[in-house]
């Protein structure tokens, strides 16, 4: 059974670190039993996948499948108000993050065109 560690601001509300076998939960979840328990159950399932499967690809597939299943079922759905309470962000933060992600689109397009053209001219 993995250890549980509470942190004031993990990257997500809950995550599993398989190297140290520790589940890291946002300490603000302690006040919200139902959401806390559903996220903890989800992270324990990730831990089980890592313990029972050795292959990297199999772990990846099972973890992604678990995440999609959980998202579709809404088992770990967190109300938006609670999300803002636990991980407060400003409009400026959200705007910066959006622009940062959008900045990659032209780079990816240019790389795609470059490698496609390069591949066409260097065929033998």
């Amino acid at each position: 059974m993995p250890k549980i560690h509470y942190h004031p601001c993990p990257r997500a509300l809950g995550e599993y670190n398989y190297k140290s076998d520790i589940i890291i939960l946002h300490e603000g979840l302690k006040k919200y039993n139902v959401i806390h328990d559903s996220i903890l159950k989800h992270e324990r399932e990730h831990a089980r996948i890592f313990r029972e499967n050795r292959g990297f690809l199999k772990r990846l597939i099972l973890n992604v499948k678990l995440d999609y299943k959980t998202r579709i079922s809404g088992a770990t759905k967190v109300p938006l108000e609670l999300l803002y309470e636990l991980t407060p962000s400003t409009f400026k933060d959200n705007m910066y993050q959006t622009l940062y992600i959008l900045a990659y689109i032209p780079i990816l397009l240019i790389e795609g065109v470059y490698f496609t053209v390069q591949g066409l001219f260097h065929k033998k």
Side-chain angles (χ1 to χ4, degrees):
M1 184 69 70
K3 296 172 275 184
I4 301 171
H5 174 71
Y6 290 94
H7 194 275
C9 51
R11 287 177 297 201
L13 294 181
E15 56 189 88
Y16 174 64
N17 184 330
Y18 72 93
K19 293 176 184 170
S20 60
D21 195 32
I22 293 176
I23 293 173
I24 304 166
L25 296 177
H26 193 295
E27 69 182 14
L29 287 173
K30 290 180 184 178
K31 298 186 290 186
Y32 305 97
N33 293 337
V34 174
I35 296 171
H36 173 277
D37 293 346
S38 64
I39 291 176
L40 179 59
K41 181 181 175 190
H42 176 77
E43 296 305 329
R44 282 188 172 145
E45 188 64 21
H46 279 300
R48 185 191 63 75
I49 288 170
F50 272 95
R51 278 196 303 278
E52 292 178 1
N53 301 284
R54 292 285 169 219
F56 170 77
L57 196 56
K58 187 168 185 178
R59 282 179 175 174
L60 178 65
I61 291 168
L62 290 173
N63 280 311
V64 168
K65 186 177 173 183
L66 173 65
D67 285 337
Y68 274 110
K69 180 181 171 187
T70 305
R71 231 176 245 277
I72 290 170
S73 71
T76 58
K77 186 169 175 22
V78 178
L80 204 53
E81 300 82 26
L82 176 58
L83 193 60
Y84 284 136
E85 177 189 327
L86 296 176
T87 57
S89 63
T90 63
F91 177 74
K92 184 179 176 183
D93 295 336
N94 293 339
M95 193 66 168
Y96 176 79
Q97 189 173 18
T98 302
L99 291 173
Y100 188 80
I101 292 169
L102 288 175
Y104 275 98
I105 293 174
I107 294 169
L108 293 174
L109 290 174
I110 291 169
E111 278 184 351
V113 169
Y114 173 76
F115 288 117
T116 301
V117 170
Q118 186 182 24
L120 292 172
F121 287 120
H122 285 57
K123 278 188 174 180
K124 291 185 179 185

